Amino acid sequence: MLLPDLVSDWRNRLVREMRRKAIHLSGLSVPLGLILLGRSFTAWALALVLAISLVLEAQRLKGRISLPEVREHEKTRVASYIYYMAGCLLTVLLFPERVAIVAILFLALGDTVSGLAGSILKNCDVRSSPALAAQATASGASPGARILAWRVKPLPVLAATFGACLFIGILTASFTGLAWPVYLCGAAGAAFADGVAVLVRGRGLDDNFSIPVLSGAVMSGAALAMAA
């Protein structure tokens, strides 16, 4: 591929990712809701929005409606925004508010950095990239032939996600009161959830769900360990 074609391809991928992440950033309303309105109201509001979204998603999968910025591989399966809202709702319900706020910021902002960094490099979609199926076919196996496998994003993307989440932890520490080992562990958990895909029969858990839940669990565990 010639250099102008490479630049054009990179620019197109970056623009698509920026459009998707602009929608992704709407998740900032969740920590804002926790701060201003409290856990109960935020959880009920999330549950209502999730219920409405599930109805819309069912109609989309039946071909009755179309939604913007749905990735190619999501046209026949549940889209990422459902996992995003489900992960946020579970995080709000399970963890202390200060931990939930930081965990959801890791998702809304840290994953945005990951996506933009990944748009610069190829083969960063470790969960659903067509390249995975091509690799399996080339090796003589079907994409789902192996029951359990794992794939990792390139190191620069992992580093960008971890660095962004760590920076979020530092910026919010004065408000949340979380000690640095707590948000450091949370940043590592978020980077792991984003960058490491554990595939069961060729499918991995959506990182929009695993990032807030795993980082919230890690931070809660670290806070308990420090208090003991």
Side-chain angles (χ1 to χ4, degrees), residues 155-179:
L155 183 58
V157 178
L158 285 171
T161 307
F162 175 75
C165 292
L166 183 59
F167 189 57
I168 291 166
I170 294 170
L171 287 180
T172 58
S174 61
F175 172 77
T176 62
L178 295 178

Side-chain angles (χ1 to χ4, degrees), residues 83 87 127 189-190 192-194 196 205-216:
Y83 294 102
R127 291 172 175 83
F192 179 87
D194 172 72
V196 179
L205 181 63
D206 195 289
D207 59 353
N208 290 289
F209 181 87
S210 59
I211 287 173
V213 174
L214 180 60
S215 64

